[in-house]
């Protein structure tokens, strides 16, 4: 690919948004993607040969044989001056491309592209169309990656609208020439992505994988701008995960219209999530401490921020004296936001690059192994759910100097047993004097399949915490995130939790998992920092992740008298004194999901053993 | 104005072009979980097929399943409804609602207060959820309670009933009130049907349907009346928190974010708790609902004109909405009972149940969600402007409001707000979904 293409390739690159959805999971997602993919691939192939086709008016059914005629018609008949708008806003190829798709999507709904009024009919709309004074404001509406997806199939206009000018603007750096095949491939991929987003937040992993190798099997993480943390919680709390009834046969063309809107709003939601993350003081303060209080590390440093979001970490780095900060963000919208956020202090230091890390080469020249510091906030729920770690490690291997700093540089996952107070059971036992425990039991059975993300208090724990897995980010390989670990959990020695009567064992209802990430003295020599999401420290937006056992296991300290030999091991009459758990976490076949398996086994005071059947949890 | 507010309901007019659209919308965009807490938790009840007038209770299975033919005049169950009922199967929501003590205690008091109308009588609980109101009615001495819910929660409700040895008196019906069949009339309808802004995702239509199908003339409906209010508000803290936040983010000026932040924060109605001090004037009554006389078509669109005089000088940030419901007995019970034959197959005539509001105010129980009253899970619903407007004391704020059901999903609500003050006029369109 020629150098001039890099700009366009970068612009169309990936789109990563944190989409808040209202808690549904669509069973037909996978099918849809495939249909859609084929659909667009076909389109890409056909598109090339049919350059002499008609150009369909954006607003009415007229056809024209040239772009210019069509635009002249739009200007005169529909008060839509395409070339004028391009000129006034200085729209580049992609900006214009999006404008066309945006206008078509609006017209399909009888909506006015510039003021948003919805008309009763196409005729009403045509009468309604008017000049637009405040173009800059309207621009926000189509400045969305989702409009890179052709709204109308075989829209010849998209192929041709810029051809006339291509030569005259050839020297203009900002407007790049492009390879149509390449473009169509990108667009096809975007089609896939859009569907994902409708269905509950997507990452670009799938897209990236299929784009690279047409193989979705390997679930490597990639440089998604950010992860869809928040989509998880509604999914779980609504409890409809995986149970969604396939009530509808989805109509693809209807789908397309819908997609445009959903994504539009999804993208604003994503902003809300960044806002929430910045407001997470525990998180932001620990990064700030690591970046601002370690002058020997940051002064004069070249820094990369992977998945910069609003760019706050990059701004910290710039303020701390870095000479160059490369802020990489795959979502066009968030990258634009980060660019706006650039202030006087960071000017000339910070550059926002809209790209996936894996394809950064196409957008910007960075010498291999030239970075002093690599910073990223990549962690997902349960550390690994929708995490961007793969992208961070990719950047590490490619650009970080030998011995360069990676922030954070350690991640440790912990597990501990939680008690009844952490479940819904106590509440449903006595509701205004009535016993509704059947409802609570139903909830517990559900939670034995789907991890719950919620806040756990220190006092909810019935065992000590145990380290589940440690990651050293400076040395680990991307595949290390799939692991199996066996841990032993010991009951808390204070019997306050073990219950009122001393002889009574504590019931362990499940395992809570959390993580800490460290900015250790290895790199942060002046002031190490720790970001903890534990039940012992102030809560963060990550909360903790709960894996509920199908049946509770009674657990008691060694010192207590042996249990009743006739009773089942792990029951209250015969508690286990050692509880061991074999926990595996693996990236799911579906991109961005993780699968967790948990097997419990225990030994009672008399040495009798019992193993419980494995439970599988799916986090997606 | 950004076009986006119209945009939120973007498929509104597409239907003519894309008849298939409606089917898709359901999967793509289920109604938000009504009143559900976003965080916190628990899993959910496993989804089962949504019941079709299926009687859950073990006893008295003489009822045949619903007869479709009989119900041609009743609204069909759309996919939207299914999604809505599905969302209610999640038990966490019910936990949240039951934990709202203001709500549950007021209902319990109201049921006890009307005990003489309930004792030995037949009651229907419309949208029974976990069955708590049905149980209160049984406790108050009801002869029989039909607890109806279309959501899968009905299965749990039935277990709850059994666990509390009330199976002989409470019959749980898994289905919509439009679909279920019972072979007697009822003396009392109790329902907790109110949604955000009273009417959003409200079950009031189901209550009316139940009333018209089964309520005896002169029967009791709890609650009996509802009032939706609105008032202009000032909320500098919220504005600061959402917008000015970006001026100093951990010491860094990110004010470039302001336009986006405004759009993000104020585009859609927001459910949050304010207090009396945020309110600039006395409220205006948007809609007064008499459950004894209301007709379903009246809910399709509600329009009101308002005029307020600000009681103070303050930045005017938007409007707040809240409601209260009254638990009044039926007026002229005896008179009606004489006029209309008991067991009459026809619903009571409108005139027959007209009554005065708050005939005896001191006795009337009211469940209020007003900013000055103890908070409930309904909180208040706020519609913010993108920019605050400075108003002086006694400055007039006037305009009109239209709430209408979205055509595609009748549980969505379109909000069209026109307001002017100090010589400037504005329009704000929002969709609550």
């Amino acid at each position: 690919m020629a150098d001039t293409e890099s700009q366009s390739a970068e612009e169309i690159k990936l789109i990563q948004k944190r989409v808040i959805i209202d808690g549904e999971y669509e069973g037909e997602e996978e099918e849809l993607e495939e249909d859609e993919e084929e659909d667009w691939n076909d389109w890409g192939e056909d598109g090339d040969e049919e350059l002499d086709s008609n150009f369909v008016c954006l607003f009415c059914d007229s056809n024209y044989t040239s772009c210019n005629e069509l635009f002249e018609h739009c200007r005169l008949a529909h008060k839509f001056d395409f070339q004028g708008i391009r000129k006034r806003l200085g729209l580049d190829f992609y900006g214009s491309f999006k404008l066309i798709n945006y206008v078509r999507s609006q017209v399909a709904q009888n909506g006015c592209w510039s003021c948003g009024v919805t008309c009763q009919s196409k005729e009403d709309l045509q009468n309604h169309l008017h000049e637009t004074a405040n173009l800059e404001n309207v621009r926000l509406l189509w400045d969305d990656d989702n409009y890179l997806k052709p709204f109308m199939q075989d829209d010849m206009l998209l192929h041709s609208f810029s051809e006339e000018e291509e030569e005259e603007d050839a020297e203009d750096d900002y407007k790049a020439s492009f390879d149509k095949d390449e473009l169509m491939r990108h667009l096809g991929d975007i089609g896939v992505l859009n569907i994902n987003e409708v269905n509950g937040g997507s990452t670009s992993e799938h897209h990236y994988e299929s784009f690279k190798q047409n193989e979705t099997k390997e679930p490597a993480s990639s440089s998604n701008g950010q992860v869809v943390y928040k989509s998880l919680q509604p999914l779980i709390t609504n409890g409809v995960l995986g149970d969604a009834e396939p009530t509808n046969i989805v109509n693809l063309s209807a789908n397309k219209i819908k997609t445009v809107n959903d994504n539009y709003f999804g993208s604003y939601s994503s902003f809300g999530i960044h806002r929430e993350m910045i407001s997470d003081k525990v998180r932001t303060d620990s990064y700030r401490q690591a970046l601002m209080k370690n002058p020997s590390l940051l002064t004069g440093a070249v820094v990369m921020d992977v998945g910069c979001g609003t760019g706050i970490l990059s701004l910290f780095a710039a303020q701390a004296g870095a000479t160059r900060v490369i802020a990489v963000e795959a979502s066009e919208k968030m990258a634009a936001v980060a660019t706006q956020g650039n202030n006087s202090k960071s000017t000339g230091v910070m550059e926002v690059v809209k790209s996936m890390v894996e394809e950064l080469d196409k957008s910007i020249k960075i010498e291999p192994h030239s970075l002093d510091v690599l910073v990223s906030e990549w962690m997902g729920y349960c550390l690994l759910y929708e995490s961007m770690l793969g992208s961070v490690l990719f950047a590490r291997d490619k650009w970080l100097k030998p011995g360069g700093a990676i922030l954070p540089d350690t991640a440790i996952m912990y597990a501990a047993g939680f008690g009844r107070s952490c479940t819904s059971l106590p509440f449903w036992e006595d509701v205004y004097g009535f016993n509704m425990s059947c409802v609570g039991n139903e909830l517990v059975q559900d939670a034995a399949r789907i991890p719950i993300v919620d806040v756990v208090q220190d006092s909810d724990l019935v065992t000590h915490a145990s380290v589940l897995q440690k990651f050293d980010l400076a040395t680990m390989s991307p595949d290390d995130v799939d692991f199996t670990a066996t841990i032993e959990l010991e009951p808390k020695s204070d019997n306050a939790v073990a219950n009122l009567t001393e002889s009574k064992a504590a019931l362990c209802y499940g395992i809570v998992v959390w993580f800490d990430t460290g900015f250790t003295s290895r790199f942060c020599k002046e002031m190490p920092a720790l970001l903890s999401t534990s039940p012992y420290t102030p809560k963060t937006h990550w909360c903790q992740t709960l894996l509920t056992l199908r049946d509770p296991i009674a657990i008691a300290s060694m010192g207590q008298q042996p249990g009743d030999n006739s009773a089942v091991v792990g029951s209250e009459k015969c508690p286990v004194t050692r509880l061991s758990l074999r926990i595996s976490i693996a990236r799911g076949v579906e991109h961005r999901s993780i699968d967790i398996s948990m097997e419990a086994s225990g030994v009672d005071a008399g040495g009798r053993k019992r193993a419980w059947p494995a439970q599988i949890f799916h986090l997606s | 104005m950004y076009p986006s507010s119209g945009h939120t309901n973007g498929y509104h007019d597409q239907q003519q072009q894309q008849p298939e659209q409606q089917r898709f919308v359901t999967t793509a965009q289920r109604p938000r979980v009504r009143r559900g807490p976003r965080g916190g938790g628990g899993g959910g009840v496993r989804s089962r097929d949504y019941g079709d007038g299926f009687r859950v209770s073990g006893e008295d299975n003489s009822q045949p399943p619903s007869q479709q033919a009989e119900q041609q005049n009743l609204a069909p169950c759309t996919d939207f409804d299914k999604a809505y009922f599905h969302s209610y199967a999640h038990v966490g929501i019910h936990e949240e609602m039951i934990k709202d003590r203001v709500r549950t205690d007021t209902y319990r008091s109201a049921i006890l207060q009307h005990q003489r109308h309930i004792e030995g009588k037949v009651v229907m609980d419309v949208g029974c959820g976990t069955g708590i109101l049905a149980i209160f009615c049984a406790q108050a001495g009801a002869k029989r309670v039909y607890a109806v819910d279309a959501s899968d929660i009905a299965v749990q409700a039935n277990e709850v009933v059994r666990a509390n040895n009330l199976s002989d008196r409470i019959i749980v019906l898994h289905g919509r009130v439009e679909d279920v069949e019972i072979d007697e009339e009822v003396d009392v309808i109790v329902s907790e049907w109110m949604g955000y802004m009273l009417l959003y995702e409200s079950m009031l239509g189901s209550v009316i349907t139940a009333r018209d199908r089964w309520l005896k003339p002169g029967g009791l409906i709890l609650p009996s009346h509802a009032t939706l209010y609105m008032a202009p508000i000032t909320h500098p803290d919220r504005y600061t928190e959402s917008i000015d936040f970006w001026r100093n983010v951990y010491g860094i000026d990110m004010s470039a974010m302001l336009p986006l932040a405004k759009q993000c924060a104020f585009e859609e109605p927001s459910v949050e708790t304010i207090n009396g001090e945020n309110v600039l004037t006395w409220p205006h009554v948007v809609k007064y609902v008499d459950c004894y006389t209301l007709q379903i078509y009246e809910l399709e669109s509600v329009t009101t004109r308002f005029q307020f005089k600000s009681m103070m000088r303050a930045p005017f940030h938007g409007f707040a909405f809240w409601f209260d419901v009254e638990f009044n007995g039926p007026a002229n019970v005896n008179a009606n009972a004489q006029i209309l034959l008991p067991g009459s197959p026809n619903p009571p005539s409108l005139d027959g149940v007209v009554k005065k509001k708050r005939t005896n105010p001191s006795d009337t129980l009211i469940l209020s969600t007003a900013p000055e009253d103890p908070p409930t899970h309904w909180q208040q619903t706020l519609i913010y402007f993108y920019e605050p407007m400075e108003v002086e004391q006694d400055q007039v704020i006037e305009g009109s409001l239209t709430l209408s059901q979205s055509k595609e999903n009748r549980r969505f609500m379109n909000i069209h707000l026109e307001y002017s003050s100090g010589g400037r006029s504005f329009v704000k369109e929002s969709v609550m979904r």
Side-chain angles (χ1 to χ4, degrees):
Chain A
M1 245 186 278
D3 246 1
T4 42
E5 281 170 32
S6 58
Q7 187 76 28
S8 56
E10 166 223 319
E11 295 217 31
I12 202 152
K13 217 44 51 82
L14 254 250
I15 302 161
Q16 184 49 48
K17 295 189 179 95
R18 302 186 171 209
V19 179
I20 296 185
I21 54 160
D22 285 330
E24 58 267 25
Y25 173 83
E26 306 306 340
E28 54 278 80
E29 175 175 355
E30 291 299 322
E31 272 170 48
L32 250 181
E33 278 167 22
E34 281 162 29
D35 290 355
E36 189 73 353
E37 196 167 9
E38 282 168 27
D39 197 15
W40 293 116
N41 286 343
D42 289 353
W43 181 79
E45 283 156 28
D46 296 343
D48 279 339
E49 283 101 52
E50 296 174 18
L51 287 170
D52 54 349
S53 302
N54 281 338
F55 298 101
V56 182
C57 173
L58 293 163
F59 302 95
C60 64
D61 298 327
S62 320
N63 283 318
Y64 290 85
T65 49
S66 91
C67 267
N68 283 344
E69 281 177 52
L70 171 57
F71 287 136
E72 193 60 9
H73 158 80
C74 285
R75 191 172 70 83
L76 297 172
H78 305 303
K79 302 192 175 80
F80 176 72
D81 180 4
F82 179 74
Q83 301 297 6
I85 292 169
R86 287 187 76 191
K87 199 161 266 172
R88 268 169 68 193
L89 294 176
L91 292 184
D92 61 356
F93 173 81
Y94 289 95
S96 314
F97 195 98
K98 287 187 275 191
L99 173 58
I100 292 173
N101 287 319
Y102 163 73
V103 171
R104 288 210 192 275
S105 74
Q106 291 301 299
V107 170
Q109 303 160 29
N110 295 328
C112 172
W113 68 277
S114 66
C115 76
V117 161
T118 303
C119 299
Q120 290 304 310
S121 68
K122 206 160 185 173
E123 288 67 40
D124 287 356
L125 173 64
Q126 285 170 18
N127 293 330
H128 162 87
L129 291 168
H130 52 86
E131 307 282 344
T132 308
N134 198 354
L135 269 176
E136 279 295 343
N137 273 357
V138 182
R139 180 182 191 167
L140 286 175
L141 297 172
W142 77 77
D143 191 12
D144 186 302
D145 293 336
N146 301 307
Y147 294 118
L148 286 173
K149 180 186 165 193
F151 182 79
M152 194 175 83
Q153 281 203 20
D154 302 334
D155 190 349
M156 295 314 296
L157 199 52
L158 297 174
H159 292 252
S160 316
F161 68 83
S162 68
E163 274 172 3
E164 281 83 349
E165 296 162 85
E166 220 133 71
E167 295 98 80
E168 77 189 46
D169 287 357
E171 72 284 359
D172 185 349
D173 275 350
Y174 195 50
K175 203 170 85 61
S177 68
F178 58 96
D179 173 334
K180 265 187 194 135
D181 285 339
E182 181 72 7
L183 172 63
M184 290 313 149
R185 245 178 38 210
H186 282 304
L187 293 175
D189 291 326
I190 284 169
V192 173
L193 185 72
N194 282 333
I195 301 304
N196 289 346
E197 289 190 347
V198 172
N199 288 327
S202 74
T203 66
S204 54
E205 287 163 24
H206 173 78
H207 164 248
Y208 178 61
E209 289 301 317
S210 58
F211 174 69
K212 281 299 240 203
Q213 48 194 253
N214 267 334
E215 266 256 329
T216 57
K217 218 49 197 168
E218 189 198 340
S221 0
S222 61
S223 80
N224 317 322
Q226 293 285 350
V227 221
V228 190
Y229 293 119
K230 257 318 180 196
S231 66
L232 176 67
Q233 195 151 348
L235 277 177
I236 288 169
T237 49
N238 288 347
V240 294
L241 238 191
D243 288 325
E245 297 150 89
T247 38
N248 301 298
I249 301 152
V250 178
N251 178 284
L252 277 180
S253 62
N255 186 358
K256 280 173 211 153
I257 297 176
K258 200 69 193 62
T259 302
V260 174
N261 288 339
D262 278 66
N263 288 328
Y264 172 74
F265 289 101
S267 62
Y268 280 103
S269 306
S270 74
F271 181 76
I273 286 162
H274 284 284
R275 158 88 176 73
E276 186 192 0
M277 293 199 308
I278 282 192
S279 308
D280 182 341
K281 241 183 114 49
V282 173
R283 161 197 181 269
T284 311
D285 274 342
S286 58
Y287 276 91
R288 183 167 68 152
Q289 181 173 333
L291 291 166
M292 307 277 277
K293 301 276 174 70
N294 289 286
S296 69
L297 180 63
L298 268 296
T299 308
V302 177
V303 179
M304 181 185 288
D305 175 0
V306 175
C308 70
T310 55
I312 184 81
L313 302 185
S314 296
L315 291 167
F316 286 150
Q319 208 161 49
T323 48
R324 186 182 182 197
V325 182
I326 303 156
V328 186
E329 172 58 55
S331 151
E332 186 177 354
K333 186 144 248 148
M334 286 319 298
V337 164
T339 308
Q340 286 168 17
N342 233 325
N343 60 22
S344 52
K345 279 179 192 146
S346 59
T347 307
V349 173
M350 176 174 161
E351 51 201 299
V352 179
V353 186
K354 183 175 37 182
S355 169
M356 286 165 55
V357 165
E358 286 79 353
E359 307 198 341
L360 199 52
D361 272 345
K362 297 182 184 167
S363 314
I364 186 172
K365 207 84 202 127
I366 306 170
E367 288 298 313
H369 308 295
S370 64
L371 295 176
D372 299 298
V373 177
L374 182 61
V375 64
S376 178
E377 195 272 81
W378 52 268
M379 298 83 76
Y381 284 127
C382 198
L383 188 67
L384 299 172
Y385 174 72
E386 290 193 335
S387 108
M388 278 194 301
L389 182 56
S391 301
V392 175
L393 299 180
F394 178 92
R396 177 197 69 185
D397 294 341
K398 192 155 184 181
W399 294 296
L400 192 62
K401 272 182 190 167
I406 184 164
L407 300 180
D409 62 319
T410 63
I412 304 176
M413 297 176 77
Y414 297 89
F418 66 80
R420 187 180 174 78
S421 58
C422 230
T423 68
S424 304
L425 295 171
F427 172 79
W428 291 102
E429 224 157 55
D430 176 3
V431 180
Y432 284 78
F434 298 100
N435 177 5
M436 297 198 171
S437 31
C438 59
V439 179
N441 292 334
E442 183 82 12
L443 281 173
V444 166
Q445 288 316 307
D446 241 51
R449 295 183 297 121
I450 303 164
I452 291 176
V453 175
D454 202 352
V455 177
V456 175
Q457 308 291 329
D458 181 6
S459 57
D460 293 326
L461 303 183
V462 294
T463 76
H464 291 289
S466 189
V467 171
L468 182 62
Q469 187 73 339
K470 289 182 175 180
F471 299 107
D472 179 348
L473 275 87
T475 58
M476 72 181 287
S477 110
D479 292 333
D480 292 346
V481 297
D482 301 329
F483 69 89
T484 298
T486 301
I487 53 169
E488 297 260 316
L489 294 178
E490 289 171 22
K492 267 190 181 175
S493 40
D494 55 312
N495 261 339
V497 285
N499 224 324
L500 308 168
T501 51
E502 280 174 39
S503 61
K504 212 173 176 189
L507 282 173
C508 176
Y509 277 80
I511 307 301
V512 52
V513 177
W514 68 88
F515 63 88
D516 291 351
T517 55
F519 306 82
T520 70
S521 56
R522 171 164 51 172
F523 301 121
C524 296
K525 294 196 165 59
E526 285 103 328
M527 176 76 86
L530 179 73
L531 167 51
S532 174
T533 68
S534 82
Y536 313 109
T537 48
K539 70 169 185 177
T540 68
H541 74 279
W542 285 285
C543 304
Q544 287 87 31
T545 305
L546 287 86
L547 308 173
T548 306
L549 290 162
R550 260 188 226 106
D551 298 300
I553 298 173
I555 179 166
S557 305
M558 209 41 183
Q560 288 171 357
Q561 72 275 29
D564 178 350
N565 260 338
S566 60
V568 183
V569 176
S571 66
E572 281 178 274
K573 283 187 176 157
C574 183
V576 300
T577 52
R578 266 197 357 246
L579 177 60
S580 68
L581 291 156
R582 189 163 178 273
I583 294 176
S584 301
I585 298 186
R587 290 163 293 184
V589 176
E590 290 164 58
H591 55 285
R592 83 193 162 81
S593 69
I594 57 176
D595 290 314
I596 303 171
S597 77
M598 179 166 82
E599 289 168 76
S601 60
V603 183
D604 77 354
R608 289 193 303 153
K609 287 182 188 161
R610 180 177 171 193
W612 281 263
Q615 285 179 240
I616 308 285
F617 297 85
H618 182 61
L619 196 45
S620 71
Chain B
M1 282 302 299
Y2 284 98
S4 39
S5 44
H7 204 99
T8 50
N9 199 18
Y11 39 82
H12 195 106
D13 286 319
Q14 286 161 24
Q15 221 184 336
Q16 297 123 12
Q17 292 173 253
Q18 301 277 358
E20 311 87 345
Q21 182 75 3
Q22 191 173 9
R23 282 185 303 172
F24 180 67
V25 170
T26 308
T27 36
Q29 197 160 35
R30 292 212 178 103
R32 91 181 85 190
V33 171
R34 178 173 168 244
R35 299 184 230 156
R38 288 303 172 109
V45 170
R46 271 189 298 281
S47 131
R48 295 175 186 89
D49 278 342
Y50 141 79
D52 240 341
F54 149 65
R55 181 182 290 249
V56 184
S57 302
E59 63 166 52
D60 191 9
N61 275 326
S62 56
Q63 284 297 317
S66 65
Q67 302 287 317
Q68 296 295 337
E70 288 176 18
Q71 288 149 33
Q72 280 161 348
N73 56 332
L74 297 169
C77 182
T78 65
D79 288 340
F80 296 113
D81 293 331
K82 287 185 187 173
Y84 168 83
F85 294 132
H86 185 85
S87 74
Y88 262 63
H90 171 46
V91 188
I93 299 156
H94 295 282
E95 181 168 337
E96 192 68 17
M97 298 199 306
I98 289 178
K99 275 183 176 164
D100 178 348
R101 288 202 77 96
V102 174
R103 162 196 178 272
T104 313
D105 283 340
T106 310
Y107 267 90
R108 183 159 69 164
S109 305
I111 287 166
L112 292 175
Q113 190 188 40
H114 292 92
Q115 187 159 14
R116 66 191 177 87
H117 294 284
I118 294 173
E119 212 163 0
K121 299 286 176 52
V122 179
V123 178
M124 176 175 280
D125 176 358
V126 176
C128 67
T130 54
I132 187 79
L133 300 186
I135 291 174
F136 288 156
C137 291
Q139 202 177 26
K143 179 171 75 177
R144 190 153 43 252
V145 185
Y146 293 99
V148 186
D149 204 309
S151 149
D152 290 340
I153 193 70
V155 176
Q156 295 303 321
N158 192 49
E159 288 203 33
V160 168
V161 166
R162 215 168 21 205
N164 292 282
N165 298 319
L166 291 166
S167 305
D168 54 333
R169 284 194 289 154
I170 301 178
I171 297 161
V172 179
L173 299 169
H174 187 188
R176 301 188 313 153
V177 288
E178 288 86 350
D179 299 330
V180 299
E181 292 295 333
I182 62 172
D183 55 4
E184 61 182 325
E185 292 191 305
V186 304
D187 301 283
V188 181
I189 290 175
V190 60
S191 178
E192 195 275 80
W193 52 265
M194 299 84 74
Y196 293 124
M197 271 182 98
L198 187 63
L199 299 174
Y200 171 71
E201 287 199 343
S202 109
M203 281 190 301
L204 182 53
S206 301
V207 173
I208 303 308
T209 302
R211 177 198 71 191
D212 294 347
R213 291 191 73 186
W214 299 297
L215 188 66
K216 280 182 192 166
L220 174 68
I221 303 179
L222 295 178
S224 55
H225 300 84
T227 312
L228 174 64
Y229 302 90
M230 71 184 287
I233 55 125
T234 183
H235 203 342
D237 292 348
R238 160 71 200 253
Y239 196 82
T240 301
E241 182 253 338
S242 302
I243 304 305
D244 295 336
F245 171 84
W246 296 101
R247 299 187 200 279
N248 181 352
V249 184
Y250 299 82
I252 288 176
D253 178 7
M254 297 182 87
S255 41
M257 308 288 176
L258 289 178
L260 195 54
K262 280 179 190 166
Q263 177 140 15
C264 177
F266 301 140
E267 183 166 324
E268 294 187 9
S270 158
V271 175
E272 56 191 89
T273 300
I274 57 170
N275 60 47
E277 288 162 20
N278 297 115
V279 180
L280 287 173
T281 71
W282 294 107
H284 168 84
V285 172
V286 175
K287 177 76 180 170
Y288 178 71
V289 170
D290 180 341
C291 297
Y292 292 106
T293 60
L294 183 81
Q295 296 299 302
I296 286 180
Y297 69 84
E298 293 177 54
L299 297 173
E300 284 164 11
S301 174
V302 171
T303 298
T304 185
R305 292 204 60 81
F306 54 80
Q307 186 180 55
F308 298 103
K309 250 187 196 167
S310 178
M311 297 199 290
M312 64 190 105
R313 177 188 177 157
F316 167 31
H317 287 105
F319 289 97
F321 296 82
W322 67 85
F323 63 85
D324 60 32
V325 295
E326 299 164 33
F327 296 87
N328 258 325
N332 311 319
V333 173
N334 296 330
N336 285 324
Q338 282 155 11
I339 295 165
L340 297 161
L341 295 170
S344 156
N346 299 317
S349 74
L350 283 185
D351 300 319
V353 285
V354 163
K355 53 171 286 301
K356 277 187 219 134
K357 185 189 172 190
R358 295 189 195 182
T359 40
N360 193 353
S362 58
D363 267 3
T364 301
L365 265 170
I366 294 178
L367 167 55
S368 166
T369 67
E372 65 270 19
D373 289 317
T376 68
H377 76 281
W378 284 285
Q379 306 183 73
Q380 286 84 38
T381 302
L382 284 294
I383 294 183
Y384 287 103
F385 310 143
Y386 289 121
E387 300 291 342
M389 195 193 298
E390 289 298 327
V391 293
E392 301 295 328
Q393 188 175 339
D394 294 330
Q395 184 170 328
V396 172
I397 298 161
E398 57 189 345
S400 68
L401 169 80
T402 300
L403 306 176
S404 53
Q405 280 178 347
S406 156
K407 289 196 180 91
E408 280 66 38
N409 183 344
R410 57 193 171 88
R411 299 195 194 267
F412 287 1
M413 184 159 68
N414 297 335
I415 302 163
H416 177 87
L417 185 58
E418 293 179 17
Y419 56 99
S420 59
S421 192
R424 295 194 297 162
S425 296
F426 304 88
V427 177
K428 173 135 187 150
E429 300 252 16
S430 259
V431 179
M432 187 116 184
R433 49 180 190 165

